[in-house]
Amino acid sequence: MTLIAVSAADLADRYPIEDGRVRPHKTLDGDGFRIRTLVMDAGAVLREHRAPVPILVQVASGRILFRVEGAEHDLAAGGAIQVDASVPHEVEAVDPSHVLLVLLGQP
């Protein structure tokens, strides 16, 4: 058992926002998965890229625009999206945000 955070506020305290930055933090690695916490200041963009494995993205706090396959999804706290391996996607923080990224499987 590993306690990651007791609340969104706890997660935000553990991983503070940095001015103008996107910062990934290694949160937990397990058998067949990796979890990263992406900390994004408002206006920060994680430019289009691809993940080598399927991913699950969930907004813990804040609001992001998630662009994938020609669509833009406006995700607020609690919002989540799954993307298959090798599908190009981009993330932009509308507000200061904490985003959980779960990489499913090993590359």
Side-chain angles (χ1 to χ4, degrees):
M1 192 273 310
T2 302
L3 179 63
I4 295 172
V6 296
S7 67
D10 182 34
L11 189 71
D13 287 346
R14 291 175 191 232
Y15 305 112
I17 301 285
E18 297 179 34
D19 288 343
R21 302 285 314 259
V22 175
R23 174 79 64 179
H25 295 275
K26 180 179 175 180
T27 305
L28 180 66
D29 288 349
D31 187 22
F33 73 92
R34 292 172 286 155
I35 300 174
R36 301 297 179 258
T37 301
L38 300 178
V39 179
M40 303 179 72
D41 196 10
V45 178
L46 186 55
R47 294 282 174 212
E48 187 176 276
H49 61 284
R50 301 167 192 255
V53 296
I55 61 171
L56 175 65
V57 176
Q58 182 170 23
V59 180
S61 67
R63 185 172 146 229
I64 66 170
L65 299 176
F66 194 94
R67 300 179 184 104
V68 61
E69 297 181 326
E72 181 174 271
H73 304 279
D74 190 338
L75 303 176
I81 191 167
Q82 184 274 322
V83 179
D84 292 332
S86 302
V87 174
H89 57 278
E90 178 176 274
V91 183
E92 179 179 353
V94 176
D95 299 326
S97 301
H98 289 79
V99 179
L100 293 175
L101 167 65
V102 182
L103 296 108
L104 304 163
Q106 301 298 327

